[in-house]
Amino acid sequence: MSAKTAAGTVKERAELALNDEFLRKAVKFTTERLRNGKKNASAEHGNWDEWRERGRQIRLHTIAHLDYYLNLFVENARANGVHVHFADTGADAVKIALEVARRKQAKTVVKSKSMVSEELHLNHALEGIGVEAIETDLGEYIIQLAGETPSHIVIPAIHKNRYQIADLLSEVAGEKLEADTTVLAGFVRKKLRENFLEADIGMTGCNFAIAETGSMVLFENEGNARMVTTLPKTQITLMGMERIIPSFRDLEVMATLLPRSATGQRMTMYMSAITGPRRTEDADGPDEMHIIIVDNGRSLQLGDPEFQELLNCIRCGACLNACPVYRHIGGHAYGGTYSGPIGAVLTPALNKNVAEWDDIANASSLCGACYEACPVKIPLHDMLIYLRRRKVEKGHGNKLEGAGMKGFAAVMGNAKRFRAALKMGQLGQKLVVRDGGIRTKLGPLKGWNSYRVTPSLPKHTFRQSFATLDQEIREGLKEMSPDIRARMEAAVKNRGNAGQGGGHGHG
Ligand code: SF4
């Protein structure tokens, strides 16, 4: 079964993306930059794996005691003067936000980046009651103008290059803007300033919520979240229920892991911790502050042995930048709010038993690069395999693929068959190898070879090369002095004995 979302199947959307040269170049360029940035920042920091483990332990502990830490957070946030709301579903969360907007007779809402807001399609809902929602994160602003959804958790407009962005902004400016990043960012900065000053409500997401103080913490680079949280009189924060960490001490670990993993920065330009609305002695800040804690399918993961660790995610986007599939097709091909490896697992997990998402786990090479990149070590590759198994068990598997896998297992599980298949492959490929690779687009190779080249099988197998090398060593021994030869022969003999110990059929 290949169920369709509104915009087609994963395969159809991936095909569209692969045929979009612009998109592929833009996504490749930025993900490479982010990946290298992360690599350098984590190497420079040192002991990266130890810090990853610390991050993982903090997240595991918090999620295992989520009820306790949520209660503590709510108690402290209320004591700080925050109105805290719980929303079981996306619809509940939207209803709460709209009620606040109506009561405040809001005309405009300025928003800093929030993936939960995207998940709830809140902008449409606000428009529905006549409230203009204005995205103020540069990437979000661009995709709002384009009428699109984010294609990356951290860099929402990753699929666009500066020429496309210049075209979009030129329409707003009413004149042709130069495709220069300083010019374009300068134009948006000036435009948004008016919006910040006029807005009735500021709306944010939440990177972390600190249970011990009832504070919510935002990481950003543009300063727009600071504007959103200081200028409008009313503030609404949307927060996934898993965003909690116990204390500011734990924030130190998260502040080490998040910026480095997300953008390769030691620290983002701004980190704001907001603890309640404006107090009389404060120079600025909202008079009224609401926090909406959103479940919307998250609690389904609690106690689920396969998926609970999903709640550990800190939305850094590193798994997207590392994923060879995401780097080819970008985010929209995944079809949901969250894309890349985390999206391929999170979307079906949040929408349990919705057949529409059965295919999404196929958008992975199962190489494990996502796990290696993840700062809190979420085993996404295991989850993807589980989702694929679940799809087959539900009877939604591809019969041809199933037969192919059975054949593959029969060959790989038997040394004789493996050697015979290898020989046949070496002979058969002579018909199709060109310039060191297999480029034919016939049959099952069509999809794969349309966008890459399949490497050909080497002339000699590992065993053949090894036997030749062994022979050469033995020949060489004959020319050595008797003493050295005796020692070398002993070493070769020992190696031979060790080799009898039951190999794994590496061929
Ligand atoms: S799964 Fe890991 S790497 Fe991916 S967004 Fe979440 S925390 Fe980052």
Side-chain angles (χ1 to χ4, degrees), residues 311-382:
L311 298 172
N312 295 354
C313 176
I314 57 171
R315 306 284 192 268
C316 69
C319 56
L320 281 68
N321 306 331
C323 175
V325 176
Y326 178 90
R327 284 190 279 131
H328 267 85
I329 62 176
H332 288 154
Y334 290 81
T337 301
Y338 302 96
S339 56
I342 180 66
V345 182
L346 190 60
T347 309
L350 292 179
N351 300 281
K352 258 196 182 138
N353 298 322
V354 178
E356 187 172 307
W357 300 112
D358 271 355
D359 284 346
I360 196 172
N362 286 3
S364 165
S365 60
L366 300 181
C367 61
C370 45
Y371 170 74
E372 291 298 328
C374 180
V376 287
K377 296 181 160 181
I378 300 176
L380 290 167
H381 55 306
D382 287 342

